Amino acid sequence: MTSAADPVIEATVLVKTFGPTRALDGLDLSVAAGEVHGFLGPNGAGKSTTLRVLLGLIRPTSGTVRVFGLDPWRNPVAVHRDLAYVPGDVSLWPNLSGGEVIDLLTGLRGGADERLRRTLIEDFEFDPKRKARTYSKGNRQKAALIAAFARPARLYLLDEPSAGLDPVMDTVFRNQIRRVRDDGATVLLSSHILSEVEQLCDRVTIIRSGRAVEKGSLTDLRHLKRTHFRIEGGADPVKLAAIPGVQGVRTNGTAVEFDADATDLGPVLAAVAAGGGVSGLTVSPPSLESLFLRHYSDRNGQAR
């Protein structure tokens, strides 16, 4: 088993093929104990395949994977004892009530904390007496989330977990992530909702075509992105375009907008100050979305 200093999840050069399709192509992934780790990528990038490998549901073609220091394919019972999982598309037993579904799922891990179960049902505004066949996608998602959070786990594997939740329930979900993190749990959050990842995650891994293309803390990754400027009045777009590191200069009414590389902010700010006549300046810090799009764009800068 792992010590406190060991990664909870460690995947090295992970490959998974399905016939001619290479779903994972040498993926490296490391998730430290006690962190919320964002796992980003669009549909088809390999996120769900990775989670199925971590759950021990499928066997990797090559490479190594460890969860709590164990091979999940060879030791599924030991791994699942301390693990909670929420899929992105939840299917429930149609003739069971929502409460029966929650009890069944938590029973597989030793049973729910009843106080926590009641609180979660109330917070998620969930009706446990209705049959599962009557639930909307959002309510099916709520049932899975309540079951996952109603019994403490060391590791939460969440695959697009907030799909189908309205903004109010999404806030409840995010509060639960913060709660389990504060309790010392580890979370791997697979998502394409970038604002969710920015609010919750300590580190992120961006996956493309089955490989990790960026990884690190959000602070580290923001150094790789561009800052957005909007200048009202007094800006010469031709002069701005000539500054090294300035990209995408464009006019928008009376304003000039552009992006600048982090390493070239000094000359950009000096040029703005020297221009005079500036009536407004807005500087937007680089977002995770800009980094995400950078890895999913073609040579013409158009998103694929």
Side-chain angles (χ1 to χ4, degrees), residues 37-279:
H37 193 106
F39 195 40
L40 287 172
N43 293 335
K47 303 189 309 296
S48 294
T49 299
T50 302
L51 292 180
R52 288 197 289 270
V53 170
L54 296 176
L55 290 164
L57 299 177
I58 57 176
R59 188 175 189 175
T61 304
S62 64
T64 60
V65 58
R66 296 291 182 268
V67 178
F68 306 129
L70 301 172
D71 182 336
W73 178 257
R74 297 178 183 275
N75 303 277
V77 174
V79 168
H80 280 258
R81 187 177 296 122
D82 292 317
L83 182 153
Y85 168 61
V86 176
D89 189 8
V90 175
S91 297
L92 304 176
W93 296 269
N95 291 325
L96 295 182
S97 69
E100 289 170 334
V101 167
I102 292 170
D103 292 340
L104 177 58
L105 293 175
T106 54
L108 297 174
R109 296 194 291 122
D113 177 322
E114 285 303 318
R115 181 196 60 79
L116 191 52
R117 179 184 183 276
R118 288 193 300 271
T119 299
L120 288 164
I121 287 174
E122 181 179 344
D123 289 349
F124 276 105
E125 299 179 4
F126 181 74
D127 184 353
K129 297 179 180 180
R130 289 173 50 193
K131 295 293 186 183
R133 64 173 174 266
T134 69
Y135 285 145
S136 64
K137 175 177 175 59
N139 277 319
R140 293 196 302 272
Q141 207 69 28
K142 288 179 185 181
L145 288 168
I146 291 169
F149 290 128
R151 178 179 176 84
R154 289 175 60 199
L155 172 64
Y156 294 82
L157 295 181
L158 308 178
D159 189 3
E160 307 284 356
S162 59
L165 298 182
D166 62 39
V168 174
M169 293 299 104
D170 188 51
T171 298
V172 175
F173 161 71
R174 296 183 190 198
N175 288 338
Q176 289 302 314
I177 294 293
R178 297 184 182 101
R179 177 185 65 81
V180 299
R181 178 197 60 199
D182 292 344
D183 288 341
T186 303
V187 180
L188 179 62
L189 175 60
S190 173
S191 180
H192 65 269
I193 302 175
L194 302 172
S195 62
E196 181 175 82
V197 173
E198 284 192 302
Q199 286 189 23
L200 295 175
C201 295
D202 305 300
R203 293 194 304 140
V204 300
T205 295
I206 297 178
I207 182 174
R208 177 182 183 181
S209 301
R211 290 189 176 192
V213 294
E214 287 287 357
K215 61 183 71 175
S217 70
L218 294 180
T219 300
D220 292 338
L221 294 182
R222 285 195 173 99
H223 290 308
L224 304 176
K225 297 173 295 181
R226 293 170 179 152
T227 298
H228 181 73
F229 285 79
R230 178 185 173 91
I231 303 173
E232 294 279 356
D236 185 337
V238 176
K239 290 182 178 179
L240 289 170
I243 301 172
V246 169
Q247 305 286 337
V249 177
R250 54 205 178 274
T251 58
N252 186 357
T254 61
V256 176
E257 297 188 45
F258 59 91
D259 300 318
D261 291 333
T263 55
D264 295 297
L265 293 182
V268 170
L269 292 173
V272 171
V278 174
S279 60

Side-chain angles (χ1 to χ4, degrees), residues 12-16 22 24-28 62 209-212:
T12 307
V13 198
L14 200 60
V15 173
K16 180 59 184 179
R22 202 171 179 89
L24 298 178
D25 189 20
L27 175 70
D28 293 324
S62 64
S209 301
R211 290 189 176 192

